Structure formats: structure tokens, C-alpha cells
Amino acid sequence: MNSPTTARDSSSPTRIVARSSMTDWIRACGLSGLAGMKIDKEELRRRLSMPQYLRLAMLDSIKKKDVDGGDEHFRSRSSDYDGTVPQSPIVVFINSRSGGRHGPVLKERLQQLISEEQVFDLLDVKPHEFVRYGLACLEKWGNNGDICAKETRRNIRVVVAGGDGTVGWVLGCLGELHQKGRDPVPPVAVIPLGTGNDLSRSYGWGGSFPFAWKSAIKRTLHQATTGPICRLDSWHVVLQMPGGEVIDPPHSLKATEDCHFDQTLEIDGGIPDKVNCYEGVFYNYFSIGMDAQVAYGFHHLRNEKPYLAQGPITNKIIYSSYSCTQGWFLTPCVSDPSLREALSRPMPMMVS
């Protein structure tokens, strides 16, 4: 596991938009009566929306998984386009399974406020596809002289509606841009839809989905375009395991062939002839041991029976119940007591 990128290191690949005051946080939670802040819907849409030809070109490139997939929209650009560059272009990734029953409704609301093509359901569009094809499409045409595509790529920001896992997944994929020299990396804002929302809370976006969410969404989108940008530490993890082991890794870990078994490790038995390697990035927590087993089990339970996940409170109850069957008391630890000592320690996040 490599050392973290420090918060003060200007080369840090990941940026996240943070709120600047407690008042902004109160506004985001829907308590607008205290702040009296009103956001005009049409003005907001004008600032956030990209020209139609850019939206369609980016979407077609993603769907076809081809950087050239949206070229026809540039060639057939409408003469009605007046050359106006979007002031604060935004794309939204939403985990429609998060937020209990609010996920699909929130997705529809976001599409109304911005545009349908700029709101991506993670069930349909993965963040690495957006990076490799959507942003690459803008970069290609920006380099070919399209000023709107160039400025949109330079100013674009990302909003993630989901829990800590979803946010980490998107951040990890955006990190590819820095690794390949495709700067700037878009800043990221958060709409907290998860169970814990620790990352969202740390950066002032709130620890839960607001009750007055319809009005809060407009304020969140507005703040995502104006909030200050802070750095976020990222950790690179490489996981090695004996070949032949079948696992279902989380989104944050990807299989890689560029990996060599660490000969200095103390292991029981002989060194395997072949190893499988996975690598990824994490930001706030990385767990090995009992708590990881509980979290991993809860993740699969929620995917297999999504009707059980009706919201953060219900999730926490299920999580607690699951930990009693998989944790200290009734686990495989009974047959392997050494697992009891494999508890991980959360890594703190630093803000510059």
C-alpha cells in the first residue's frame, strides 16, 4: 500500500468541492427559512446545461464505448447554436438504489433541473466509461478547435448522489485522468444518499438525505458550482491472493496483471506458483478482517434483496443484525480465532 498523497501536494489527483460555512450546510439540508436563499430554476438550468450537440455526442460516445461515437453531432451541429459556452457545466452520477425510495424520484428531479443526458444512473453508465469515452470525446473536439467543447471540459464539475462507496468509486475513476496526464480533474460534490455518509459529512455536504429534498437539490447544485475546492488524500491498494481463488471484488478494486508476489511475506505453507492481483484507490476507510466481512456481506445482502434497503435507518438496523451473525459472536471466527485480531483501523482524511 503506497503512501497517501498529502493534502498540501498540488499534484494531488483528486479534488472535492467543500462547503464554506455552517450556513451553507443548513441551506443544503432544506432549512432555507433560516437563510432565505432562493435559486431560480431556469437560471440554474442555463448555467449548468451543456449545448445539446455536446450532450448527445458525449452520451453516444459512452454508449458505443468509442471516442469517435459522437462525431456526427459535431458535424451536424445546428445553425441555431449561438456559440454560448456553459458557465458551470455539471454531470451527475446517481446510485438509484441508494436513498431508499427516493433514488428514482431524485434522478427524475435532477434530469428536470439540468438535462436528461447529463444525469447518469450508475446502473447504466459506469464512471470509468464516462472518463474514457465521454470526457475523451470533449478533449478530442476541444483539440480540434471546438471552443465550447474545450471550455466545457476545462470547467466541468461532477456531482455524486450516493453513499461513501459510490463517491469513492467515482473518485477512483476520475483519478485515471491525473495518472494519464489528462488534467484538470473535475472537482466532485456530494448528495448524501448512503447509510453512513462519513465522507459527505466531513466535507460539509451533510450526513443524511434532507427531508425537504426538492428545494435542497437546487441549492446543492448551485453550491456545487460555487463552493471552494479542497484536496483529498487518496491511498493506492494492491491486493495479492493465490491463483484460483474466486472472489467478487468491490467496484474500487480492479484485476491487474502488473503485479509480483511479495517474497518477504510470512505465509503458512508454500508460496503459490500463481497469484491474482487487484488494485484500487480508497479515500476514507479500507478494512481487512471482521468488519470488512460484515460490510461486504451487507453489500451483497442489499444487492440480492434491494427491497430490504428502504433508507439509512433501516440499513443501520440490518447492518447491526448482520454484524451479530457475522461478527465477534457467531462468526467463522469460532473456527478460526485468529480472525478476531484482524480488525482494521480507519484512516483519517486531511483537508488542506
Side-chain angles (χ1 to χ4, degrees):
M1 184 168 62
N2 295 340
S3 299
T5 303
T6 62
R8 294 182 176 85
D9 186 353
S10 61
S11 65
S12 175
T14 306
R15 301 182 296 169
I16 188 165
V17 181
R19 298 194 184 280
S20 58
S21 68
M22 181 59 70
T23 302
D24 290 330
W25 181 85
I26 293 174
R27 288 173 180 169
C29 290
L31 305 179
S32 57
L34 297 178
M37 183 180 183
K38 294 184 179 180
I39 305 297
D40 182 76
K41 179 179 177 180
E42 293 304 320
E43 172 63 17
L44 181 67
R45 182 182 177 89
R46 185 189 65 79
R47 291 193 294 111
L48 303 182
S49 296
M50 304 176 194
Q52 185 180 38
Y53 82 96
L54 282 187
R55 303 197 308 260
L56 294 176
M58 189 169 61
L59 186 61
D60 280 357
S61 295
I62 294 172
K63 287 182 176 179
K64 297 176 182 179
K65 293 181 174 55
D66 183 1
V67 175
D68 303 325
D71 287 1
E72 62 179 284
H73 298 289
F74 286 90
R75 290 192 289 264
S76 61
R77 183 170 55 182
S78 172
S79 58
D80 295 335
Y81 173 61
D82 58 4
T84 302
V85 177
Q87 181 179 350
S88 305
I90 271 184
V91 296
V92 180
F93 288 99
I94 180 169
N95 184 350
S96 57
R97 292 181 177 178
S98 297
R101 297 179 296 272
H102 294 296
V105 181
L106 176 59
K107 174 185 173 182
E108 182 179 354
R109 173 67 170 171
L110 288 166
Q111 290 175 335
Q112 293 172 354
L113 291 173
I114 311 175
S115 70
E116 183 175 348
E117 297 86 3
Q118 288 175 237
V119 179
F120 302 123
D121 191 326
L122 287 166
L123 295 178
D124 304 319
V125 176
K126 305 300 184 284
H128 69 271
E129 297 172 345
F130 166 74
V131 170
R132 296 174 187 175
Y133 307 111
L135 287 182
C137 172
L138 297 181
E139 292 167 356
K140 170 190 171 182
W141 283 96
N143 293 333
N144 288 342
D146 191 298
I147 300 301
C148 186
K150 183 176 182 179
E151 291 301 307
T152 297
R153 170 63 183 93
R154 185 172 68 88
N155 297 324
I156 196 169
R157 294 192 175 194
V158 174
V159 176
V160 181
D164 288 341
T166 303
V167 178
W169 181 19
V170 174
L171 289 174
C173 293
L174 291 176
E176 294 181 14
L177 294 171
H178 180 78
Q179 296 171 5
K180 297 180 179 180
R182 295 170 57 190
D183 295 321
V185 178
V188 176
V190 183
I191 299 175
L193 297 183
T195 302
N197 301 310
D198 291 334
L199 185 59
S200 174
R201 186 185 296 106
S202 298
Y203 277 84
W205 292 100
S208 62
F209 192 56
F211 292 105
W213 64 271
K214 288 188 176 181
S215 57
I217 292 304
K218 289 195 297 183
R219 299 185 190 91
T220 298
L221 292 176
H222 170 74
Q223 190 65 24
T225 66
T226 60
I229 298 173
C230 298
R231 299 288 179 175
L232 173 64
D233 284 345
S234 61
W235 294 74
H236 182 233
V237 180
V238 177
L239 175 66
Q240 300 173 326
M241 59 190 309
E245 294 282 347
V246 179
I247 67 169
D248 181 17
H251 294 301
S252 57
L253 291 177
K254 303 297 182 183
T256 177
E257 296 181 358
D258 187 18
C259 180
H260 301 284
F261 192 80
D262 188 348
Q263 302 291 332
T264 65
L265 293 176
E266 296 183 5
I267 62 174
D268 296 332
I271 298 178
D273 296 329
K274 183 180 179 181
V275 295
N276 293 333
C277 297
Y278 301 86
E279 64 177 357
V281 179
F282 79 94
Y283 296 89
N284 47 349
Y285 301 109
F286 179 79
S287 300
I288 298 175
M290 186 190 303
D291 54 341
Q293 183 184 27
V294 172
Y296 192 61
F298 173 75
H299 169 73
H300 281 282
L301 177 66
R302 185 170 56 177
N303 286 342
E304 294 171 0
K305 301 179 180 179
Y307 56 86
L308 295 177
Q310 296 298 317
I313 296 178
T314 304
N315 289 350
K316 289 176 182 177
I317 294 174
I318 297 174
Y319 199 103
S320 299
S321 301
Y322 194 85
S323 65
C324 290
T325 61
Q326 296 293 324
W328 181 277
F329 304 101
L330 299 172
T331 81
C333 296
V334 172
S335 58
D336 189 359
S338 63
L339 290 177
R340 294 176 180 171
E341 303 301 326
L343 296 176
S344 66
R345 297 178 180 178
M347 299 295 181
M349 294 192 304
M350 299 172 62
V351 183
S352 58

